[in-house]
Amino acid sequence: MTDSEQRLRDYAHLAVHVGLNLQPGQTLGINALVEHTPFVRVVAREAYAAGARYVDVVYGDQHVRKAHIEQVAEDDLGWSPPWLVKRVEDLGADGAAFMGVAGNPDPELYGDLDGGRVARSRMKEVAEATLKLTEGLCNWTIVAYPNEGWARTVFGEPDIERLWEAIATAVRLDEPDPVAAWREHIDRLQDRAGSLNERRFDAVRFHGPGTDLTVGLHRESVWQAALDESRGIKHVANMPTEEVFTAPDARRVEGTVRSTLPLQIQGNIVRDLEIRFEGGRAVDVRASEGEEFMRTHAATDEGASRLGEVALVDATSRVGTTGLIFFDTLFDENASSHIALGAAITQAVEGAHDLSPEERHERGVNHSSIHTDFMIGGGDVDVDGVTADGDAVPILRRGDWVL
């Protein structure tokens, strides 16, 4: 076995045993692009070795999807094939595990298309079913597979080996015992979340160049980190992960925020995103590139213009210390503090999971078919916790955790 083959096998082992924590007898559903096939095949072997009952893979092809966006009738643009919706629902009903594979081989493939049509092509019913699946119905994870196109976007040349090295650093695959390294990392992040929960801040404020944003929190908001639990199975939803996060009060967001990293989304790269919030709602959306797409995206449904997540990341992030822009949200959101338009992380608000969409709206727990993270943190952006009395308590200064 070559070194590269062993590395791929070790990565698959980490994804199956730490990311998914796959249990004997579970079905595993995988969503990936055709360019991810070599990794998916190794994951499947690792999953069967771990006792999987069946591995079901759905591959997407972005070029086929581009033809759909270019040529299909407007009424059919965002159609969700019912069998794809049912597959997701059946995975949840079966108590299956679920893996998404990231690493876009052509992040700007749809950049020459009408941004509004690209945004409207999103399969809303599939997205809603998938969000529901990840709200406690299954143990799930998202991992990324290095490929030539992605490397070209990051480095300007198809240097896959260099991209592999960066990813190995980010996911702790370069450690002598990656599993033990992950256990230690999870404990550290959970301790950090615990320190925020002890404070019971009423809001979090971001302030820096182009940014002065106050995000209100629920009394019941719980800061979380790294380790999720679904149906009694503990798993790591994002590999890598460097964040502590919670669900904000979607009614109490005020101010202006400027993105600090590009956002890769649906075959587009959105640059220099700026959003102004009033009464919790995004009332003005601007960008130097991808503005039409983002305006349409933020109007997908009633909750798409409100926040569902606020997350803090400090300068010790392994993703951030690579110094790279990955043009992939899985990595870039773990290099920088971020917020997310759309669906709330219901596990982060006590009792929210069992509420209807209408009840969530009344309580300020956002409900939407989208969940779109974008990066707003960095060394120039300070973060304060705001107490119920209005006092500001430093959390991040120049990227350093000071709480």
Side-chain angles (χ1 to χ4, degrees):
M1 183 179 294
T2 65
D3 289 346
S4 60
E5 290 172 337
Q6 184 62 54
R7 179 175 58 190
L8 191 63
R9 185 172 179 178
D10 291 343
Y11 190 27
H13 179 87
L14 196 64
V16 169
H17 292 277
V18 175
L20 289 171
N21 189 17
L22 188 73
Q23 302 297 298
Q26 275 195 301
T27 296
L28 172 60
I30 302 177
N31 283 10
L33 295 174
V34 291
E35 291 86 353
H36 301 149
T37 300
F39 178 57
V40 171
R41 288 172 176 167
V42 179
V43 168
R45 285 189 171 275
E46 188 68 34
Y48 280 121
R53 179 174 60 181
Y54 188 77
V55 178
D56 181 71
V57 183
V58 169
Y59 286 111
D61 187 318
Q62 293 191 111
H63 292 272
V64 173
R65 191 67 185 168
K66 184 174 184 179
H68 173 88
I69 298 168
E70 288 176 320
Q71 300 180 52
V72 79
E74 180 69 27
D75 289 347
D76 295 327
L77 193 57
W79 181 64
S80 288
W83 56 90
L84 292 182
V85 178
K86 189 174 188 302
R87 171 183 179 259
V88 178
E89 292 173 343
D90 285 349
L91 287 172
D94 186 57
F98 180 73
M99 175 184 289
V101 183
N104 196 314
D106 200 343
E108 294 187 273
L109 181 62
Y110 306 158
D112 60 342
L113 303 182
D114 177 86
R117 275 185 68 86
V118 175
R120 292 192 298 276
S121 72
R122 187 169 173 273
M123 294 187 289
K124 183 178 178 181
E125 287 77 14
V126 173
E128 288 176 335
T130 304
L131 282 172
K132 185 176 180 180
L133 182 69
T134 59
E135 287 185 349
L137 291 182
C138 75
N139 44 316
W140 61 282
T141 195
I142 304 174
V143 294
Y145 175 62
N147 55 79
E148 184 176 297
W150 185 17
R152 186 181 290 109
T153 301
V154 176
F155 302 118
E157 58 181 349
D159 192 342
I160 298 179
E161 183 59 31
R162 187 178 172 193
L163 184 57
W164 256 116
E165 291 173 359
I167 289 174
T169 295
V171 301
R172 292 168 167 76
L173 196 60
D174 58 351
E175 293 284 344
D177 186 342
V179 174
W182 267 95
R183 291 195 186 106
E184 181 180 341
H185 178 54
I186 289 167
D187 289 344
R188 183 178 65 85
L189 288 177
Q190 289 190 312
D191 286 345
R192 182 168 288 179
S195 69
L196 286 167
N197 288 326
E198 289 175 4
R199 296 283 186 151
R200 306 308 306 172
F201 290 122
D202 179 66
V204 176
R205 182 187 174 210
F206 298 84
H207 42 103
T211 291
D212 188 354
L213 183 74
T214 300
V215 180
L217 302 177
H218 297 277
R219 291 182 180 178
E220 304 88 356
S221 289
V222 177
W223 290 89
Q224 299 185 323
L227 199 63
D228 288 332
E229 185 169 341
S230 302
R231 293 186 171 179
I233 302 171
K234 293 181 179 180
H235 59 102
V236 178
N238 289 351
M239 300 187 78
T241 183
E242 300 284 347
E243 62 182 300
V244 289
F245 58 90
T246 193
D249 186 335
R251 303 163 297 186
R252 297 196 299 125
V253 183
E254 302 287 343
T256 302
V257 65
R258 178 185 295 173
S259 67
T260 52
L261 290 172
L263 169 63
Q264 195 286 320
I265 178 172
Q266 281 185 245
N268 282 268
I269 294 179
V270 180
R271 292 180 168 88
D272 306 313
L273 177 63
E274 296 185 14
I275 301 181
R276 180 165 57 86
F277 289 88
E278 291 182 1
R281 186 178 296 279
V283 296
D284 189 28
V285 178
R286 301 175 185 270
S288 65
E289 295 181 30
E291 181 175 299
E292 182 183 7
F293 172 87
M294 281 306 299
R295 287 187 172 183
T296 304
H297 188 63
T300 298
D301 52 41
E302 180 65 23
S305 62
R306 296 183 182 272
L307 293 188
E309 179 186 358
V310 58
L312 305 179
V313 178
D314 78 340
T316 66
S317 160
R318 279 205 176 200
V319 182
T321 55
T322 66
L324 298 174
I325 299 175
F326 284 87
F327 297 95
D328 186 290
T329 301
L330 174 64
F331 285 79
D332 291 333
E333 73 165 3
N334 283 295
S336 166
S337 294
H338 53 275
I339 53 179
L341 291 170
I345 299 174
T346 55
Q347 300 95 317
V349 181
E350 186 177 349
H353 183 268
D354 298 323
L355 299 177
S356 68
E358 295 76 19
E359 290 170 330
R360 291 182 188 182
H361 178 74
E362 290 177 3
R363 283 186 55 181
V365 180
N366 203 32
H367 181 77
S368 175
S369 65
I370 75 166
H371 182 90
T372 301
D373 298 277
F374 64 99
M375 290 58 72
I376 66 170
D380 294 334
V381 180
D382 290 337
V383 182
D384 292 327
V386 182
T387 69
D389 295 329
D391 296 328
V393 179
I395 299 175
L396 288 170
R397 289 291 183 268
R398 297 180 181 178
D400 294 327
W401 190 273
V402 297
L403 183 66

